């Protein structure tokens, strides 16, 4: 809809008090307040069923609410592959965030874990920051 205003949105905005521009700005700011903030604050080295692995503690915050969860690199990799397969024909390749590479040697080295943590955080933030799916108003 480039260059055209969404007719449904135009009718909704026309019913709001004040100038349409002010209403659109207000709507944008409310949507922005609801955008999740995602951080990966720490990493944990775990051992489970004979396997040692790094787990990333993810914090998701929306307004006054927040949740923590722990995910392995392989779970992030699966999410990335799923999103790319489902949306790569719609979203231009240059808009896809980079994804940290898998490494087998020195995978528990602190600098490698930190680089991966930062890369995963950038990936998650890009997913929720509407860099892949911009809101058209």
């Amino acid at each position: 809809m480039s260059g055209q205003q969404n007719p449904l949105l135009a009718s909704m905005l026309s019913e709001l008090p004040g100038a349409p521009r002010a209403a659109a700005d207000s709507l944008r700011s409310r949507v922005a307040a609801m955008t999740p903030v995602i951080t990966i604050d720490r990493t944990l080295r775990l051992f489970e069923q004979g396997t040692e692995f790094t787990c990333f503690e993810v914090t998701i915050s929306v307004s006054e609410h927040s949740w923590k969860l722990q995910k392995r690199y392989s779970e992030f990799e699966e999410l990335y592959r799923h999103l790319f397969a489902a949306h790569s024909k719609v979203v231009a390749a240059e808009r896809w965030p980079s994804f940290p590479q898998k490494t087998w040697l020195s995978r528990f080295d602190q600098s490698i874990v930190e680089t991966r943590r930062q890369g995963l955080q950038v990936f998650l933030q890009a997913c929720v920051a509407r860099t892949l799916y911009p809101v058209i108003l």
Side-chain angles (χ1 to χ4, degrees):
M1 297 192 102
S2 63
Q4 295 180 348
Q5 188 174 20
N6 181 317
L8 177 59
L9 180 61
S11 92
M12 288 170 46
L13 291 176
S14 69
E15 295 174 19
L16 294 173
R21 178 75 175 154
D25 290 344
S26 173
L27 183 59
R28 278 190 199 94
S29 66
R30 283 184 277 159
V31 168
M34 294 174 17
T35 300
V37 174
I38 298 181
T39 57
I40 300 177
D41 301 316
R42 68 183 186 138
T43 60
L44 305 156
R45 193 168 168 178
L46 302 176
F47 189 81
E48 187 177 280
Q49 298 178 350
T51 304
E52 190 172 20
F53 57 91
T54 300
C55 197
F56 299 88
E57 186 175 89
V58 180
T59 303
I60 304 166
S61 303
V62 180
S63 297
E64 302 113 30
H65 306 287
S66 66
W67 300 266
K68 289 190 182 288
L69 51 113
Q70 295 176 351
K71 295 294 178 184
R72 295 176 67 166
Y73 174 84
S74 59
E75 294 173 287
F76 289 109
E77 188 177 40
E78 183 179 335
L79 173 65
Y80 184 84
R81 283 194 313 263
H82 175 76
L83 288 173
F84 190 80
H87 302 288
S88 63
K89 292 183 177 154
V90 178
V91 179
E94 65 272 4
R95 295 188 69 172
W96 280 96
S98 62
F99 194 78
Q101 296 295 311
K102 182 175 270 192
T103 180
W104 295 103
L105 300 174
S106 305
R107 65 186 178 151
F108 297 114
D109 179 88
Q110 216 34 52
S111 66
I112 291 173
V113 171
E114 177 59 16
T115 299
R116 185 177 277 181
R117 183 198 69 76
Q118 290 174 3
L120 291 171
Q121 182 169 298
V122 167
F123 164 69
L124 292 175
Q125 289 172 343
C127 287
V128 299
R130 293 181 174 81
T131 57
L132 294 179
Y133 312 100
V135 174
I136 300 172
L137 288 179

